[in-house]
Amino acid sequence: YIRTLYLGIMSRRQKEHQRRWYWAMMFEYADVNMLRLLETFLESAPQLVLQLCIMIRENRAETLQCISSLGSLLSLAWVLASYHKLLRDSRDDQRSMSYRGALLHLFWRLFTISSRVLSLALFASLFHIYFGIFVVLHWCAMAFWVVHGGTDFCMSKWEEVLFNMVVGIVYIFCWFNVKEGRTRYRMVAYYIVVLAENTILTGLW
């Protein structure tokens, strides 16, 4: 954050190199938002599934539990929508996303994440061991898919593998792009798998 603030100040002060400082700030801020996205999903997403599972098992929901669950869901959707908008804004070869588009993206993430965590919570409320097995298998498959796709976020190979493994955890709950190029077919393939999983998990409950 400090470096991003520094680059932003330099882009305002040095008019002759303003564009160069501005894009340096945007790329730095995109990296910061990527880290914030990973942190949010590692903390809020499992917590949200646990909260919903407890409410389902007890067949009641306290006001504080509902507020906390809603806050976790909103934070997950918000961090994805803001990251996607920033990613578009930081690319000189693509049009910036409008605020209307960002709002639609936010609602899309809200609906997809809520359906996913609800199906996971329903299944986990009855089948604890099988839920753990399912999560591990899904994480392994998604991490392998990301590694096989070939990303270039880190400096070394092992750092890249570790990054892909963390992205695999995010893919338990939702999809987001981590590779250059067309994303339509990869996104469709992911959501077909998730739709089948959600249907089976909810049906077993």
Side-chain angles (χ1 to χ4, degrees):
Y1 285 105
I2 296 176
R3 178 169 171 79
T4 304
L5 181 61
Y6 166 76
L7 293 173
I9 294 173
M10 294 301 293
S11 69
R12 298 286 294 180
R13 287 183 175 179
Q14 299 192 10
K15 300 297 182 180
E16 64 276 8
H17 301 293
Q18 186 175 28
R19 184 176 177 83
R20 181 169 65 86
W21 287 107
Y22 172 76
W23 286 114
M25 180 199 68
M26 292 298 293
F27 286 127
E28 195 77 21
Y29 194 47
D31 291 340
V32 170
N33 272 265
M34 168 63 81
L35 294 176
R36 188 177 66 178
L37 186 151
L38 297 177
E39 179 188 10
T40 302
F41 267 89
L42 291 176
E43 292 180 359
S44 297
Q47 180 184 2
L48 178 58
V49 174
L50 178 61
Q51 288 175 330
L52 292 175
C53 182
I54 293 173
M55 287 188 284
I56 293 170
R57 284 182 57 84
E58 296 181 352
N59 199 23
R60 64 186 180 88
E62 301 289 342
T63 303
L64 187 60
Q65 286 179 315
C66 295
I67 295 174
S68 177
S69 298
L70 184 59
S72 297
L73 179 60
L74 287 173
S75 68
L76 293 171
W78 176 263
V79 74
L80 279 168
S82 61
Y83 173 74
H84 187 74
K85 185 180 187 313
L86 180 64
L87 199 63
R88 289 288 297 271
D89 293 344
S90 64
R91 297 291 299 271
D92 201 14
D93 57 339
Q94 294 187 6
R95 294 177 58 186
S96 298
M97 178 183 289
S98 64
Y99 287 102
R100 182 182 300 177
L103 184 62
L104 291 175
H105 190 95
L106 176 65
F107 280 108
W108 167 47
R109 293 299 190 178
L110 275 173
F111 291 132
T112 54
I113 295 174
S114 60
S115 62
R116 180 62 169 175
V117 296
L118 183 58
S119 62
L120 291 174
L122 289 172
F123 186 74
S125 64
L126 293 180
F127 307 100
H128 307 299
I129 297 177
Y130 292 111
F131 172 74
I133 295 174
F134 165 78
V135 168
V136 172
L137 290 177
H138 183 89
W139 170 70
C140 290
M142 292 296 105
F144 176 78
W145 187 31
V146 177
V147 171
H148 181 71
T151 57
D152 56 353
F153 278 90
C154 303
M155 300 297 293
S156 68
K157 176 182 177 181
W158 295 111
E159 289 177 349
E160 196 71 36
V161 172
L162 181 61
F163 169 77
N164 292 336
M165 293 172 68
V166 175
V167 172
I169 298 176
V170 179
Y171 274 35
I172 295 174
F173 304 98
C174 73
W175 182 90
F176 78 106
N177 187 36
V178 291
K179 183 183 176 183
E180 293 286 343
R182 298 181 65 86
T183 61
R184 181 181 305 171
Y185 298 113
R186 282 178 283 154
M187 185 171 62
V188 169
Y190 173 83
Y191 278 114
I192 288 175
V193 172
V194 168
L195 176 61
E197 289 177 348
N198 290 351
T199 304
I200 293 173
L201 294 178
T202 307
L204 290 174
W205 177 75

